[in-house]
Amino acid sequence: MHEESELVTGEAVVLDLRVAKLASRALAMALDVVVQFALLLGAIFVMTLTVPADDGSLALTLFLVFLVLVMVGYPVLFETLSRGRSLGKMALGLRVVRVDGGPIRFRHALTRGLAGFVVDFWTLGLFGAVAVIVSLCSSDGRRVGDFLAGTLVVRERVPESAGYPAIGMPPGLEGWASQLDLTRLPDDLALASRQFLARFNELRPEASHALGWGLAQQVGNALGAAVPPGVPPWAFLAAVLAERRNRDHAKAFQAYAAAQAQQAQGYPAQPHAYPAQAYAAPAYPGQASSQPFPAQPNAASSQPLPAQAAAPEYGGSSEPTPPRGTPVVPAENPFTPPS
């Protein structure tokens, strides 16, 4: 069984993050040490070619400078630019985050790097003995640098089915969401939005309002699109995540259809191509679902579901939308950003 963090944000949102324990962190550290020593050996080789052999003080000074740059600058640089990941953590799917679940910044990476060099591993760390002892004594596997910087190492590679409910497209936002450039949305921000929507009904109204507007502003800034007037933050986030999921599904379907077309033309089947009979077309209200998917999507299958069939989530209304041509009377927007 994996262990999840028990971190709670200021808005009373429990974070479902898998904590990285000693074994995975030690392996990631070993990979980083191999890279660091390779860089240090390269620097020493360059010094032997450029520094005169009789100038020992210059050689010692340059060696100390390269040692600090490699042992401290390497983790600080990578964790700052990649938002909490070194090469070893990238290989094992780990990331350093703040204790509130947010991404780290330069000051967090610098504190971790200095503490790792002085206390946890090298100068006073007895080659990692201090880090191992402190990590074993911590319930979240944190070392001294994590306590000083207020950070935590978590696993990024978690199963998709983490218990989150399916997010539906709020009625009326389909056309607006289709114009968004979702490639600019960071994965960690999408995960935070999904966690907020999963616990929207469990939060106090003032907490959900404040947290929702904060996430909506971050998502809007990342996408370059402001929250539409009259749209609550939960609906804005749900529309973005639902459109992102729909596009991923469309790409998967196109890849499947292309594999089926290649197989029909006599090309060998790809390992990921499955028989079309194993899938049934989604049934609309009043229709049976017994026909397999067509090789290519037709115009009828690309039409959106009627508004009555779209079950809104997270407290949305289930009333059908008025027919086209009905004048819409603008109502006062009750959703205002928190002061």
Side-chain angles (χ1 to χ4, degrees), residues 2-4 16-19 92-93 154-162 164 191 195:
H2 67 274
E3 295 192 21
E4 295 183 354
D16 293 330
L17 300 177
R18 291 190 176 186
V19 177
L92 294 181
V154 298
R155 294 181 177 272
E156 284 190 309
R157 299 169 186 171
V158 296
E160 290 291 336
S161 57
Y164 300 122
L191 176 60
Q195 291 175 343

Side-chain angles (χ1 to χ4, degrees), residues 122-174:
W122 307 117
T123 306
L124 304 175
L126 301 177
F127 298 97
V130 173
V132 171
I133 295 174
V134 175
S135 180
L136 290 176
C137 296
S138 172
S139 60
D140 293 330
R142 302 166 68 187
R143 60 178 175 87
V144 176
D146 291 317
F147 284 104
L148 295 178
T151 57
L152 177 72
V153 180
V154 298
R155 294 181 177 272
E156 284 190 309
R157 299 169 186 171
V158 296
E160 290 291 336
S161 57
Y164 300 122
I167 297 177
M169 175 67 69
L173 295 180
E174 298 88 351

